[in-house]
Amino acid sequence: MKRLVMFELRKIMIPRVWISIAGSIALAIFCFVSFYPSGTDSLLVVNKEKPEAIAAHLGPIQPDLALKYAPRLKEEYAEDSAWPKEEKMKRILEQHYAGTAYMVDQFNRNLTELREQKVLMERQEPGSYALRDVTKKLSMLEEGKPRGFYVTEDWDLLHIFFSSSPGVGDLLIGLILVFALASLFSGEENYRMVALILSSKYGRLKIVAAKLLAGFIVTFVWVTLFYGICTLLACLPFGFVGWNAPLNSYFYFDETPYALTQLQGFAVKYAVTLLAACGLLLLTALISALCRSSLSSLGLAAFLVILPLFSLPGMLGKIISFLPSGVMVSRSLIEKYVSYNIFGIPILHLPLSILSVIIIGIIAIMLIPKAFERRLKV
């Protein structure tokens, strides 16, 4: 079995796949390096130059400081100002603090409105799904880590690279995977393997298992390698500052229902992406098993990757969002509270997405051997 897997790995990792991987990594390097701060135009630089000043502000918002720095919000963007170095760093710190205080205040206002909405619904709609949904959302937001001021710009950039619309990082992962794996089954004619498979003493199921195992190895290594490199590019130059800050300290995640740190949130994102990538592998393998042409299987698999980037209305859009490629590029896994009515129970988007990928993967695994065997007989 080991020799079969190694043989399949050599067939997958051909020169053009290595070149595309290198190109993706080069693009990631360009994206991160081009956003590195220069001079004193970043809170990260202020943290490096004046750690004691930053340390005095870290944590939950201090009302007296928030009131003191509030006028800074009416001034020009501090990073773009032409003030002397010391004054510029001071204004960057104060403006960021005032902005965070405003964000926290807005969140608390929204939380108050949600509490009032719950009280009203308890009187008017007792036992309804809407009340259960509001109650769950409120309890999760109240149990979250206290929002406050933290230096997380390095982690923010990492989240933007993978989670903004479209998520460049996850899009690259999906495209490289289908590029490498689209000919997993459909390319056998090119290697003159059909006759060997039909007469193989190993059995067709064993060959299919070897192909899928090789695909899983490639998927795991590629996703882990790419996420690892991007994490180092974003955070290593700044000493991984803010890794233990609450995930909700970044405005993009200010309404996340999960009480996670920056590192924990990114680890969850990686784990879900890896699971979705495995689901994409299985769908790509199924397409490859059904198609004789590697070009056709590549086109169909690539279409699956880019399909979630289009905003389709109604039920069709929701179905697409639960495909492995849709889960991979989703913006609502841990960023905000998104729930679905499943038999009257509010289920969050994250567990539902995980379940959908597992179900799709199981169905694909069951269909791949039959699809490939049927194609060999044609």
Side-chain angles (χ1 to χ4, degrees):
M1 186 66 171
K2 182 179 178 181
R3 294 177 63 185
L4 281 175
V5 173
M6 293 302 298
F7 177 66
E8 293 297 335
L9 283 173
R10 287 194 295 270
K11 285 164 60 180
I12 292 171
M13 301 306 297
I14 55 179
R16 65 171 180 263
V17 174
W18 286 109
I19 293 172
S20 62
I21 288 175
S24 297
I25 293 174
L27 179 60
I29 293 173
F30 172 79
C31 288
F32 285 104
V33 172
S34 63
F35 282 100
Y36 282 169
S38 58
T40 57
D41 63 351
S42 169
L43 194 62
L44 289 167
V45 176
V46 179
N47 181 67
K48 185 177 180 180
E49 296 279 340
K50 295 182 173 295
E52 68 287 345
I54 292 291
H57 292 76
L58 292 178
I61 294 298
Q62 303 171 46
D64 56 333
L65 290 180
L67 184 63
K68 178 182 177 181
Y69 299 152
R72 294 295 189 199
L73 293 178
K74 299 179 181 179
E75 300 176 354
E76 68 172 315
Y77 191 53
E79 279 84 339
D80 297 333
S81 64
W83 291 95
K85 180 179 178 180
E86 291 296 319
E87 180 64 21
K88 185 174 183 178
M89 288 194 295
K90 176 175 177 290
R91 287 173 180 259
I92 287 174
L93 170 58
E94 293 177 357
Q95 198 170 71
H96 274 267
Y97 196 91
T100 302
Y102 177 79
M103 181 191 75
V104 172
D105 183 62
Q106 287 295 110
F107 172 79
N108 290 333
R109 289 175 184 271
N110 293 337
L111 210 58
T112 299
E113 291 178 2
L114 201 60
R115 293 190 185 104
E116 293 172 352
Q117 182 182 356
K118 178 189 173 185
V119 172
L120 182 62
M121 294 177 70
E122 284 175 337
R123 292 199 303 263
Q124 298 180 349
E125 305 177 47
S128 66
Y129 166 77
L131 175 59
R132 286 194 291 271
D133 189 41
V134 168
T135 301
K136 182 172 184 176
K137 180 178 181 179
L138 182 60
S139 64
M140 294 189 76
L141 292 178
E142 287 178 332
E143 292 171 5
K145 295 179 180 294
R147 286 151 175 79
F149 175 79
Y150 301 92
V151 181
T152 61
E153 288 186 353
D154 48 349
W155 294 95
D156 297 349
L157 180 57
L158 197 58
H159 285 300
I160 288 172
F161 185 72
F162 283 101
S163 301
S164 62
S165 183
V168 176
D170 289 328
L171 184 61
L172 287 175
I173 287 174
L175 290 175
I176 294 298
L177 279 181
V178 300
F179 186 63
L181 303 172
S183 60
L184 194 61
F185 292 97
S186 58
E188 296 298 6
E189 282 79 2
N190 298 332
Y191 290 93
R192 299 178 180 177
M193 287 289 294
V194 174
L196 178 61
I197 292 172
L198 288 172
S199 60
S200 174
K201 65 178 180 179
Y202 295 109
R204 297 169 201 174
L205 270 181
K206 196 168 185 179
I207 291 175
V208 170
K211 287 178 176 293
L212 293 181
L213 184 55
F216 280 120
I217 292 173
V218 169
T219 300
F220 174 79
V221 171
W222 166 231
V223 174
T224 303
L225 175 69
F226 196 62
Y227 261 74
I229 288 175
C230 290
T231 303
L232 292 176
L233 286 171
C235 302
L236 184 60
F238 312 104
F240 292 89
V241 60
W243 66 270
N244 58 346
L247 185 63
N248 57 29
S249 62
Y250 175 36
F251 75 92
Y252 187 70
F253 292 86
D254 65 331
E255 290 195 356
T256 177
Y258 299 105
L260 302 171
T261 64
Q262 295 285 334
L263 180 59
Q264 290 169 340
F266 193 69
V268 170
K269 172 65 176 171
Y270 158 74
V272 175
T273 298
L274 180 59
L275 177 66
C278 290
L280 180 61
L281 151 69
L282 293 172
L283 283 182
T284 302
L286 178 58
I287 292 172
S288 183
L290 290 168
C291 298
R292 286 185 173 274
S293 168
S294 297
L295 190 60
S296 298
S297 59
L298 175 59
L300 289 172
F303 177 73
L304 278 181
V305 174
I306 65 174
L307 183 60
L309 302 182
F310 299 96
S311 298
L312 298 177
M315 184 59 66
L316 181 59
K318 290 182 179 179
I319 292 173
I320 291 173
S321 69
F322 285 105
L323 293 175
S325 53
V327 172
M328 192 181 296
V329 300
S330 175
R331 296 182 61 188
S332 57
L333 293 174
I334 60 175
E335 292 87 340
K336 55 187 177 180
Y337 183 93
V338 177
S339 63
Y340 295 87
N341 185 349
I342 308 298
F343 303 115
I345 301 174
I347 305 296
L348 294 189
H349 189 78
L350 177 60
L352 202 57
S353 296
I354 293 173
L355 181 61
S356 70
V357 171
I358 292 173
I359 292 174
I360 290 172
I362 291 173
I363 294 173
I365 286 177
M366 294 173 61
L367 294 177
I368 287 169
K370 295 181 179 180
F372 187 47
E373 184 174 356
R374 182 178 180 184
R375 205 197 75 200
L376 289 176
K377 292 177 180 180
V378 176

